[in-house]
Amino acid sequence: PAIAAIVPAAGVGKRMQADRPKQYLVLHGKTILEHSVARLQSVAGVEQVWLALAAEDPYFDATALSHSNVIRVKGGEERMHSVLNALNFVDEHQYPWVLVHDAARPLVRQSDIEQLIQRCLASGEGGILACRVRDTMKRGELMVAETVSREHLWHALTPQFFPTSLLKAALHDAVSAGVHITDEASAMEWAGHSVLLVEGHSDNIKITQPADLALAAFYLEQSS
């Protein structure tokens, strides 16, 4: 089936302590956002990409994406609002399946996205890329309260891939109910839908803090 992709990119990324939102920081000559979108566009079947951007975004027009076929839509206060705004357009254009990918994940592998799509389409269920937790897990604040078994624990990654109509309904109902949604899978879980876990590579990092930018640059150099 024809697949659409959404990239919510309206955030400001305060933890990066930069002079601009993290998606507009430059990595190997291109913005992080350009890298992330290019990874989606490299996948056969992904026909259209929607970017949910802040209404007063002063940086987008300076990127090559402003002259490409990506479609800009208005972002919302939080991620879930941005995705829901974009989903209205995806649904209107009758794309039955949609990928949602973080703007600050520029290293996701094409093979991982393809595996996610194949697994989900084969099962008829939506799913997410994820990595198994490898470290010993502790719960606590300043002091350890308990050690938590890492068995069956995963780090949720993106893209996340779901039937458009089901995701739109789940997010709409969650927003209406005042439920705090951190990713698309959590909306689908809240709505009672099954979500596949598809194991991806751990180098699919999300750039959140300054040290992540150097790590991403290193990974790009190794893969080039």
Side-chain angles (χ1 to χ4, degrees), residues 137-159:
M137 303 300 292
K138 304 289 185 182
R139 189 191 309 278
E141 200 58 48
L142 297 179
M143 303 288 288
V144 174
E146 63 174 321
T147 298
V148 181
S149 172
R150 66 188 173 196
E151 188 176 7
H152 306 309
L153 289 183
W154 296 72
H155 295 287
L157 311 175
T158 70

Side-chain angles (χ1 to χ4, degrees), residues 126-204:
I128 68 172
L129 286 179
C131 282
R132 295 181 187 274
V133 169
R134 296 185 176 90
D135 302 310
T136 298
M137 303 300 292
K138 304 289 185 182
R139 189 191 309 278
E141 200 58 48
L142 297 179
M143 303 288 288
V144 174
E146 63 174 321
T147 298
V148 181
S149 172
R150 66 188 173 196
E151 188 176 7
H152 306 309
L153 289 183
W154 296 72
H155 295 287
L157 311 175
T158 70
Q160 303 192 354
F161 186 56
F162 295 104
T164 302
S165 59
L166 293 184
L167 179 58
K168 179 182 175 183
L171 278 171
H172 178 272
D173 291 348
V175 170
S176 298
V179 177
H180 182 61
I181 297 297
T182 56
D183 69 351
E184 293 65 50
S186 59
M188 295 293 281
E189 295 158 33
W190 178 80
H193 299 295
S194 299
V195 178
L196 288 176
L197 287 166
V198 179
E199 190 161 9
H201 287 81
S202 60
D203 56 3
N204 180 12

